[in-house]
Amino acid sequence: MKGTNLGEFEELVLLVTVARPEEAYSVGIAKVLEEVAGRKVVHSVVHASLNRLVKKGFLTSEMKPGSQKRGGRRKRVFEITSAGMKALEKVKDQRDNLWAMIHST
Amino acid sequence: MDKKQKFQPPRWADKFLEWYCAPHQLEDVQGALYEFFHERIEKGNTRQAKWYFILDVITHFRPHIIKRESSHFTSNHFGMFKNYLKISVRNIKKNRLTSFLNILGLTISITSFLLILIWIQQEKNFDAFHENAENIYRIPNTFTSESESFSQAVSGPALGAQLDELFPQIVNACRFGQTTAIIKYEDQTYFENGIRVVDPNFFEMFTWEALEGYQNEFFKELNSIVLTESLAKKYFGNKAAVGEMLTVDNERTVEVTGVVTDPPANSQLQFEAIISTDLGKIRWENPNMDNQWGGGSFYTYLQLKPNTDKEVLMEEVNKLITSKLSFFTERNMSYHYFLQPLTDIHLNSKLRYDFSSNGSARNVSIFTVIGLIILLLACINYINLSTATAIKRAKEVGIKKIIGAFRKDLIKQFLVESVLLCFVATLIALTLVYFLLPGFENFVGYKITPNLGAQFILWLLLGILALGLIAGFFPAFFISTFRPLTVIKGQLKSGKKGSFVRKSLVVLQFTATCALIIAIITVNGQLRFIQNQDLGMQTDEVINIYFRGIQSVNDSREVLKNELLKDSKFKSISFYRNSYPVGGLSNSTIQVETENGKKVSSSLYNILVDEFYAETYDIELASGRFFSEAFPADSTESVLVNEAAVKSFGWGNPELALGKKMGTEPNERKVIGVVKDFNFEGLQKEVEPLRIVPIRNRNSFTEIAIKADLSNPFETIAFLENTWKRINPEVPLDYTLMNDDLQDQYQGELRFRSIFFLFSILSLVIASLGLFGLATASTNQRIKEIGIRKVLGASIFNLVGLIGREFLLLVLLSLLLAIPLAWYGMEQWLSGFAYRIEMNGLFFLLAGFIAIGISLITISYQTLKAAFRNPVSSLRSE
């Protein structure tokens, strides 16, 4: 098993799958990230990161019918697992704690 | 539909994606890319969309997308592979003769190939071991005068002394000069030929390993000498050498300041002892040496800064040198300097005064080709033998196919077999190479240190695999085509199948072999021609003594001469200065009067001699007379030239040459005679213009030529030695027989001949092995036919003819094909000689006899055995 740490980019990807379940497939996530983060996101990087998250057990996937643009091909839609949710919360807690330290001084 | 097609992404990019993408991810990834594509089209720019699609396909070429899902159904290749190996081993054991012939052929060829490879690796890596090798260059020049132009390896001494200070791009400049000396240690005296005069940065520029002393301090003192390991051992045994004192030329004491390892054989810079150029200046009595830009006898090496623009540098260097050489420029002579990469010199430099140890790129390519031919011959043997005996494997193939083997599996089986054979052969070959290397070094003429690292082993394994695949490819495809039904029913006609391919391959083999035979005959003929060529002088009776201008010998000159000439075996004695007509002469520039009285500058070879030179060497006169004691003015007023010089200056004929003027006042001389051309250089070169000058300073002789009756050489030389010892007890006698020295001139060629001969014989052996195997197979298959013929009354002669004819025709055809090939190749080789034989029909005839003779002998054993066999034994069992 690979480490269960979340990289920065992985965290973003994971967050998008929770925040925008209707866009939770590779192309959709890439677009949302471009909007939110305001930076150029390469699709193959998102794809790689999704694969990694599935391997770590934070995401599950399912093939669902896609739009006409895809030439009739199905798309792989992702959903977060409870382990994924926990990992997200853990990261958030760590950050909150650190921010709290900043504000308290 | 049309519209939709217009919006398809580029087909090839799509295909590429489908090819590399793992199947389980393809739908998603391809879908995603299509989605991007169509979105971009909606934005309006179709072309851009297509470009982006291609870009996307390329950026998705990543491991996580390419990587296939691991399957749970890995088929057991290993088990099958074990089975292939087992069957291969069984087959090798079963067909002993065929396997033996195959392995023998492959072993011989791989051994030869490895030896050649090791040699080529050595030749190509001359001086590559120096750490700075890629930044070091030699700076030779092209000299041009009004009458000629030539390139020489040596340069003016000022270049090495000053260039590195004048040009920032030049890190180091180092001169490498050659000299000899008498070296005395305690009571032992030796002539040392391997003394080199170098600039102190020699040890910084080039990579030598110091065993004693410190490289930076070798030449701190003027009177220092650095020895190689072997020379130090010769003088001091196992004692430490540093600090010992040696006497040079009986006049100067030098201290040994260092010992370095012997230069490796693959270096052009060979030396035994080293002194500095500062000491050289004193030895040569030439204090102004560092400012001489012209002439010179130093090889000069430059170490450039990495990435230096060489063209710009050389332009500047040439400009500078031209400005320094106004003396030459005024006389319409010029030096044009250029650079030679250090590692390139050994194989690709053929300049005047170049190292005699230089190799030849041509020979390297010739032997590469021969090595490949030998490998090819062994492959062909394998192919022929395997297909000729394929019938033996037919049942195996048939049964396997029936049980369900695919053709692919059968091919694998046969390839495993051929690779296995190659592997075995390579192992044997490696052992052989290990034992043969010392012998091979004798052939090659220097010590070889093969480079056997991990890389070598990797290449070797790859080589085995490649060789096995090449050899096994055709047999594997051929045998695996057998149809099970025909085989099992026993309807497969043996031998006929693939016989055309087999015959063509035999022809190919024998073409190569015949060509090599013709080549070896030609090479042999040419070398014999050279050695027997009339050189225009007699060489059989000449002893040359090299006494290096030692004063005491010069002083006792007349005594020695008189003592020797008392004995009737000694016919004539001539003293001269550096004018031994073997192994190269010096040259110099001079003003020469042409036919219409104008003076032009030109460069000629020089001979500085006494009155007896022509007599001693039996050099004939074309006109005029030689110097004589009867004309005392000769030593200041007269000069002789050779016929080549007459032609070069346009003087018409030798008679008209008499009285022409050479040189400038006050050193002007008149031509008093013309000698017929004699070859003072190897016969690779034409005779060049030569000037014979009587020596003026009678104390500057360096050599003696003695014409003596050598029919009983030991007696003659014993007498010479005794006389010498009596007159010159201090000086060792260093003599050579002229014929030996002449032989040395062709060492390269003689070596070429031996290596060439060796490998030609080997290829002949391999081809014969193949022929033998084929004859065996063919007689075995026709054993019944022969039996029936014999019963019906065919004579032994008929039967031998029946089988022999088939092979002889092939050999004849090969001979016909080989003739033009060999003709062309040998013409190329012969063109490297100024004096050469012409290709001769007799060579081809002789080669034909040899080829046919050998193939007859090869097949005769099998055919005779078959013909003499009692027909009962072959016909009984049916």
Side-chain angles (χ1 to χ4, degrees), chain A residues 27 69, chain B residues 4-10 30-54 56:
Chain A
V27 178
K69 286 177 194 161
Chain B
K4 217 179 166 191
Q5 275 216 329
K6 213 170 136 194
F7 296 132
Q8 288 295 316
Q30 201 175 23
L33 296 196
Y34 269 67
E35 200 172 329
F36 283 125
F37 176 70
H38 286 292
E39 269 167 23
R40 287 196 183 107
I41 283 184
E42 276 168 20
K43 277 184 202 153
N45 194 336
T46 318
R47 248 176 78 159
Q48 207 180 25
K50 285 189 176 173
W51 275 115
Y52 271 110
F53 184 83
I54 295 170
D56 276 341

Side-chain angles (χ1 to χ4, degrees), chain B residues 517-730:
Chain B
I517 297 176
I518 296 174
I520 188 70
I521 293 173
T522 318
V523 169
N524 219 0
Q526 169 68 13
L527 289 185
R528 191 166 317 153
F529 170 78
I530 278 190
Q531 284 165 323
N532 295 332
Q533 170 79 352
D534 181 15
L535 298 178
M537 59 184 164
Q538 72 90 13
T539 62
D540 296 336
E541 297 196 312
V542 177
I543 307 169
N544 188 63
I545 299 174
Y546 185 29
F547 68 93
R548 295 156 173 84
I550 292 164
Q551 204 48 51
S552 61
V553 181
N554 264 323
D555 292 342
S556 58
R557 202 170 61 236
E558 290 304 321
V559 185
L560 179 75
K561 207 165 157 179
N562 293 336
E563 287 292 312
L564 286 178
L565 289 177
K566 271 183 201 162
D567 191 307
S568 63
K569 281 199 285 295
F570 293 85
K571 298 170 185 165
S572 171
I573 295 173
S574 168
F575 282 74
Y576 46 83
R577 179 173 176 78
N578 300 333
S579 301
Y580 188 34
V582 182
L585 299 170
S586 64
N587 69 352
S588 64
T589 55
I590 191 161
Q591 298 278 311
V592 175
E593 181 186 2
T594 59
E595 56 190 319
N596 45 28
K598 217 183 88 193
K599 287 221 167 178
V600 297
S601 338
S602 56
S603 157
L604 289 100
Y605 280 101
N606 295 321
I607 284 185
L608 281 165
V609 299
D610 68 2
E611 294 82 6
F612 305 98
Y613 195 78
E615 185 186 324
T616 307
Y617 284 107
D618 284 346
I619 294 168
E620 285 174 42
L621 285 169
S623 72
R625 62 174 178 86
F626 205 73
F627 312 118
S628 157
E629 281 170 324
F631 296 84
D634 273 356
S635 68
T636 51
E637 290 174 358
S638 310
V639 66
L640 269 83
V641 293
N642 67 356
E643 288 171 315
V646 174
K647 206 192 275 171
S648 162
F649 303 135
W651 286 341
N653 65 48
E655 295 300 332
L656 293 174
L658 299 179
K660 291 279 191 247
K661 293 190 189 80
M662 278 185 139
T664 41
E665 289 291 349
N667 294 323
E668 199 175 64
R669 288 168 184 270
K670 270 187 195 149
V671 175
I672 57 160
V674 176
V675 297
K676 287 195 175 157
D677 282 344
F678 60 97
N679 293 90
F680 52 87
E681 287 192 290
L683 289 172
Q684 295 94 331
K685 295 176 189 152
E686 293 276 3
V687 177
E688 305 237 18
L690 170 79
R691 176 170 71 121
I692 303 176
V693 187
I695 202 150
R696 208 186 298 185
N697 177 358
R698 293 262 157 182
N699 283 320
S700 63
F701 293 115
T702 61
E703 286 163 285
I704 312 170
I706 299 174
K707 180 181 179 185
D709 180 2
L710 289 174
S711 55
N712 189 349
F714 297 107
E715 201 180 306
T716 313
I717 285 171
F719 183 80
L720 172 64
E721 274 176 341
N722 286 333
T723 317
W724 182 271
K725 231 176 248 165
R726 215 170 52 237
I727 300 168
N728 300 303
E730 285 284 302

Side-chain angles (χ1 to χ4, degrees), chain B residues 102-292:
Chain B
N102 272 330
I103 293 184
L104 185 63
L106 282 170
T107 305
I108 295 177
S109 69
I110 294 172
T111 310
S112 320
F113 188 74
L114 283 178
L115 285 175
I116 291 178
L117 205 66
I118 290 172
W119 174 70
I120 289 176
Q121 195 192 23
Q122 192 91 352
E123 283 283 293
K124 286 201 159 170
N125 283 311
F126 252 66
D127 285 304
F129 64 90
H130 299 292
E131 273 160 35
N132 298 323
E134 54 187 279
N135 289 320
I136 299 180
Y137 297 82
R138 188 169 74 179
I139 177 164
N141 61 67
T142 304
F143 172 83
T144 309
S145 72
E146 282 167 83
S147 64
E148 63 169 347
S149 171
F150 60 85
S151 294
Q152 54 186 359
V154 290
S155 48
L159 273 81
Q162 298 189 24
L163 282 186
D164 49 348
E165 285 159 23
L166 295 171
F167 294 92
Q169 301 100 308
I170 302 175
V171 184
N172 273 317
C174 179
R175 290 169 284 184
F176 185 80
Q178 317 192 356
T179 186
T180 59
I182 303 173
I183 292 191
K184 209 163 137 187
Y185 175 65
E186 292 176 348
D187 53 351
Q188 304 155 289
T189 310
Y190 299 99
F191 266 134
E192 294 302 348
N193 290 324
I195 298 180
R196 302 292 176 260
V197 184
V198 305
D199 289 310
N201 56 14
F202 182 66
F203 293 95
E204 180 189 327
M205 235 169 114
F206 300 97
T207 308
W208 311 111
E209 199 191 330
L211 297 173
E212 289 182 46
Y214 301 100
Q215 296 197 351
N216 300 335
E217 297 176 5
F218 279 166
F219 297 112
K220 240 166 69 182
E221 302 294 327
L222 177 65
N223 291 318
S224 306
I225 189 165
V226 173
L227 306 181
T228 56
E229 199 181 348
S230 47
L231 200 68
K233 200 161 242 167
K234 174 169 148 192
Y235 282 97
F236 313 115
N238 291 325
K239 274 195 295 180
V242 167
E244 294 286 344
M245 295 294 187
L246 298 174
T247 313
V248 179
D249 289 348
N250 299 325
E251 56 180 35
R252 180 178 289 271
T253 310
V254 294
E255 185 185 348
V256 179
T257 51
V259 176
V260 293
T261 46
D262 291 2
N266 60 346
S267 174
Q268 58 185 286
L269 302 162
Q270 294 293 327
F271 57 85
E272 288 178 296
I274 285 192
I275 58 173
S276 69
T277 38
D278 288 335
L279 191 56
K281 249 181 267 181
I282 297 168
R283 262 178 72 75
W284 292 321
E285 292 164 6
N286 189 356
N288 196 30
M289 188 171 86
D290 289 349
N291 288 314
Q292 282 171 11

Side-chain angles (χ1 to χ4, degrees), chain A residues 25-27 30-31 42-45 47-48 51 55 63 67-76, chain B residues 4 14 18 25 27-36 38-40 42 59-60 62 64-65 67:
Chain A
Y25 69 110
S26 60
V27 178
K31 282 182 195 156
V42 180
H43 174 256
S44 66
V45 176
H47 194 272
N51 272 348
K55 246 189 194 161
M63 299 300 283
S67 64
Q68 195 57 46
K69 286 177 194 161
R70 294 176 71 94
R73 286 177 190 78
R74 292 177 302 164
K75 60 188 180 192
R76 193 173 174 204
Chain B
K4 217 179 166 191
D14 208 17
E18 282 169 18
Q25 302 205 52
E27 188 172 4
D28 185 46
V29 173
Q30 201 175 23
L33 296 196
Y34 269 67
E35 200 172 329
F36 283 125
H38 286 292
E39 269 167 23
R40 287 196 183 107
E42 276 168 20
T59 54
H60 279 73
R62 284 158 164 260
H64 74 268
I65 288 173
K67 201 172 158 198

Side-chain angles (χ1 to χ4, degrees), chain B residues 424-486:
Chain B
V424 173
T426 309
L427 284 187
I428 306 176
L430 280 177
T431 328
L432 280 177
V433 166
Y434 178 79
F435 288 109
L436 291 178
L437 203 55
F440 187 64
E441 280 168 354
N442 279 343
F443 264 113
V444 175
Y446 59 73
K447 188 149 175 43
I448 292 175
T449 35
N451 179 10
L452 307 172
Q455 215 187 1
F456 173 78
I457 293 172
L458 185 73
W459 279 111
L460 193 68
L461 288 177
L462 276 178
I464 294 173
L465 198 65
L467 188 65
L469 293 184
I470 292 169
F473 188 76
F474 180 71
F477 275 81
F478 173 73
I479 300 176
S480 60
T481 51
F482 289 164
R483 286 155 188 269
L485 212 57
T486 358

